[in-house]
Amino acid sequence: MSTASPPAPAISADDVAAVQRCEQAYNRIRDELAKVIVGQDEVIEQVLVAMFGRGHALLEGVPGLAKTLLISSLAQSLHLTFKRIQFTPDLMPSDITGTEVIQEDLETRARQYKFLAGPVFANMLLADEINRTPPKTQAAMLEAMQERQVSAGGQIHKLPAPFFVLATQNPLEQEGTYPLPEAQLDRFLLYIKVDYPSGAEEWEVARRVTTGQMGEISAVMTGDEIIEFQRLVTRVPVSDQVLGYAWALVRASRPNTPESPDFVNRWVSWGAGPRGVLTLVTCAKARAILYGRYHATVGDVQAVAKPALRHRIASNYAAQASNVGSEQLIEMLMEAIPADKKYEKPAA
């Protein structure tokens, strides 16, 4: 029996036009953010890839790198409701999801429960310093992210669409924090590292901020357009070559398997699960439409490999002793897995 994949559906004229609109919207968003944010082009790209991939993103960087400003500025460039939660050790789950209160009818004097929605009921939510709140509150937050709903008093309350969470965490001052377990990190589509700006960018930041030359951001995209682009991503075709490359990367990341290279067996505690393949393919398709292409390439997979896999591959003690982290392991994986090899669906 043949194991060949079915032919890709024909590209409709509407989808081609939608891809062009997506590229134009991406360029407009970058132009708007450039009024406030200097540089960080790669971070902006990855955040939008996560958004169009219908996932959530975790941003990590030292204080002062404009993570919060980037997210709030992005919200201003979109016609979306925006809420921010500053996570603290005393934050309770109900402070995020909402709570039920007893309300008395002024006419009948009858009492009944009424649900007061929490800040999670927004299109875009900034979860600032998510690693500073206890696991119980983190779990309530991640449940809402995964199920896109909140249960209270036996009732299910749907979250608005689109719904997108951008969480930040500070890698410094780990004393008194509650690091997210690997199983919960896996719920984030992308794990984005925010690095220091270049010398020229930092110079421009100082000049703009100290002279009050920050621009006003205008909204350029609606929630309905975002939902349209999210649906468009699912229709973007993926060749066996691109799918096979993503599949091979993830398979090779698992130690003590037939596909794993020697360095994986030596330095990896556990590798990426099936969600890793889904993330690589989905994000490669989302990146393709950002650049006006109606097909994903191996280059798209390579561009999203680090944010897609850095929280799904765990280095062991031997790797840590050799100063080898997930970043280096992903780079070694991309060197070990040939991009030009012909990949086909494996036999059952």
Side-chain angles (χ1 to χ4, degrees), residues 207-222:
R207 188 190 64 81
R208 284 196 197 181
V209 174
T210 57
T211 58
Q213 297 181 19
M214 305 291 281
E216 292 291 330
I217 294 179
S218 302
V220 298
M221 188 185 298
T222 66

Side-chain angles (χ1 to χ4, degrees), residues 30-82:
R30 287 196 304 180
D31 291 342
E32 290 299 320
L33 293 181
K35 297 177 181 178
V36 174
I37 304 294
V38 178
Q40 303 290 11
D41 293 334
E42 191 172 296
V43 174
I44 293 170
E45 175 191 295
Q46 292 171 5
V47 167
L48 290 173
V49 162
M51 179 183 294
F52 291 158
R54 201 172 179 269
H56 312 285
L58 177 65
L59 279 74
E60 181 180 278
V62 300
L65 295 184
K67 299 183 297 295
T68 302
L69 177 62
L70 169 63
I71 297 168
S72 60
S73 300
L74 179 61
Q76 291 178 42
S77 69
L78 307 171
H79 285 283
L80 299 177
T81 57
F82 172 72

Side-chain angles (χ1 to χ4, degrees), residues 97-260:
T97 59
T99 187
E100 285 197 326
V101 298
I102 297 178
Q103 192 174 60
E104 184 178 275
D105 190 290
L106 296 177
E107 295 182 358
T108 63
R109 297 297 180 183
R111 294 184 177 183
Q112 59 182 0
Y113 284 102
K114 181 182 179 181
F115 179 71
L116 295 181
V120 75
F121 286 85
N123 295 122
M124 180 178 288
L125 180 67
L126 167 57
D128 218 354
E129 295 191 289
I130 193 172
N131 59 330
R132 297 202 177 278
T133 202
K136 185 176 182 180
T137 305
Q138 291 175 353
M141 178 77 203
L142 292 164
E143 181 183 3
M145 289 165 49
Q146 181 70 17
E147 306 299 334
R148 298 177 189 270
Q149 64 184 28
V150 169
S151 299
Q155 299 293 320
I156 293 177
H157 305 274
K158 293 288 185 181
L159 295 174
F163 176 64
F164 180 57
V165 173
L166 276 167
T168 69
Q169 65 177 13
N170 179 0
L172 305 178
E173 301 176 82
Q174 292 301 309
E175 185 176 351
T177 63
Y178 306 85
L180 290 170
E182 283 76 9
Q184 294 186 2
L185 281 174
D186 196 41
R187 300 293 182 183
F188 288 96
L189 191 69
L190 296 181
Y191 184 178
I192 301 169
K193 292 287 184 74
V194 184
D195 207 350
Y196 289 109
S198 67
E201 290 170 348
E202 195 162 10
W203 180 290
E204 179 64 15
V205 168
R207 188 190 64 81
R208 284 196 197 181
V209 174
T210 57
T211 58
Q213 297 181 19
M214 305 291 281
E216 292 291 330
I217 294 179
S218 302
V220 298
M221 188 185 298
T222 66
D224 290 339
E225 288 176 318
I226 293 172
I227 293 174
E228 176 191 354
F229 293 144
Q230 289 175 341
R231 291 171 178 165
L232 176 64
V233 166
T234 64
R235 299 195 298 271
V236 171
V238 176
S239 67
D240 284 352
Q241 182 67 20
V242 175
L243 176 60
Y245 180 68
W247 169 85
L249 277 177
V250 170
R251 299 281 297 181
S253 73
R254 301 166 185 167
N256 304 316
T257 62
E259 299 94 342
S260 59

Side-chain angles (χ1 to χ4, degrees), residues 283-304:
C283 292
K285 296 201 295 181
R287 185 178 186 271
I289 67 170
L290 286 181
Y291 288 94
R293 290 183 278 106
Y294 195 72
H295 65 282
T297 66
V298 168
D300 292 319
V301 175
Q302 293 172 332
V304 301

Side-chain angles (χ1 to χ4, degrees), residues 296-316:
T297 66
V298 168
D300 292 319
V301 175
Q302 293 172 332
V304 301
K306 285 187 178 180
L309 297 179
R310 63 168 50 107
H311 55 308
R312 296 185 167 100
I313 297 176
S315 57
N316 59 22

